Amino acid sequence: MSSTEKPKAQIPPPVDSRRLLGLARGHLGPLMLATLMMLIGGAIGLATPQVAGRVVDAAIVDSDPALLNRIVLGLFGLFAALGLVAFFEHWLIRRTGARLLLELRTRLFDHLLTLSPEFYSGRPTGELLSRLGTAPTVVQAALTRQI
């Protein structure tokens, strides 16, 4: 390769979905709850414009201040509910991701302890440390953000 050629980027291997779901099997409950929270947040987000339209109708068409006040309070309630749902969804995803990462790193470290000294003599220490730190994080991100 000449000095002007750029090295080709390595293409990562395709993700095996069954293996990825197998890693998440112990965390399916919290992940499903987070998915439910996401769906509830989406439903609230879809209801918000409908309620906002009623605010305009109550203010302009009906000229009913009592109705306007109730609808505006309902709109504030929707925003508060959306904030709570989003908070708990993100909290649950982060908590599940941290637990998953701990489990993956523990499994990886336990596996490294079973390997022979020949395995370590043939590989640079920096490469092993880099993989020990980044590989579980990539799997955690795939499970908590992409599933």
Side-chain angles (χ1 to χ4, degrees), residues 100-120:
L100 178 66
L101 187 59
L102 175 65
E103 180 183 316
L104 287 173
R105 284 195 172 143
T106 302
R107 286 175 61 184
L108 183 58
F109 185 74
D110 289 345
H111 176 71
L112 288 174
L113 290 177
T114 64
L115 297 175
S116 68
E118 290 81 24
F119 173 81
Y120 295 102

Side-chain angles (χ1 to χ4, degrees), residues 13 33 39-40 45 52-53 59 61 63 71 73 75 82 88 90 97 135-137 145 147:
L33 184 58
L39 292 173
I40 291 171
V61 177
S63 298
I71 294 174
L73 285 175
L75 191 58
L82 185 60
F88 284 117
H90 291 292
T137 307
R145 294 190 187 115
I147 285 187

Side-chain angles (χ1 to χ4, degrees), residues 64-142:
D64 185 357
L67 178 61
L68 178 62
N69 287 339
R70 284 195 309 265
I71 294 174
V72 168
L73 285 175
L75 191 58
F76 284 147
L78 279 177
F79 287 138
L82 185 60
L84 286 172
V85 167
F87 170 79
F88 284 117
E89 175 194 343
H90 291 292
W91 174 78
L92 199 53
I93 288 289
R94 296 260 184 198
R95 186 181 123 224
T96 304
R99 288 182 178 186
L100 178 66
L101 187 59
L102 175 65
E103 180 183 316
L104 287 173
R105 284 195 172 143
T106 302
R107 286 175 61 184
L108 183 58
F109 185 74
D110 289 345
H111 176 71
L112 288 174
L113 290 177
T114 64
L115 297 175
S116 68
E118 290 81 24
F119 173 81
Y120 295 102
S121 66
R123 288 175 177 73
T125 305
E127 177 186 337
L128 292 173
L129 288 174
S130 174
R131 288 181 185 236
L132 182 63
T134 59
T137 307
V138 171
V139 173
Q140 176 222 11

Side-chain angles (χ1 to χ4, degrees), residues 11-45:
I11 298 172
V15 175
D16 183 8
S17 299
R18 278 184 261 147
R19 187 169 181 196
L20 197 58
L21 288 173
L23 291 171
R25 185 167 289 130
H27 306 277
L28 282 181
L31 288 173
M32 295 303 286
L33 184 58
T35 302
L36 178 65
M37 299 290 262
M38 182 180 62
L39 292 173
I40 291 171
I44 293 172

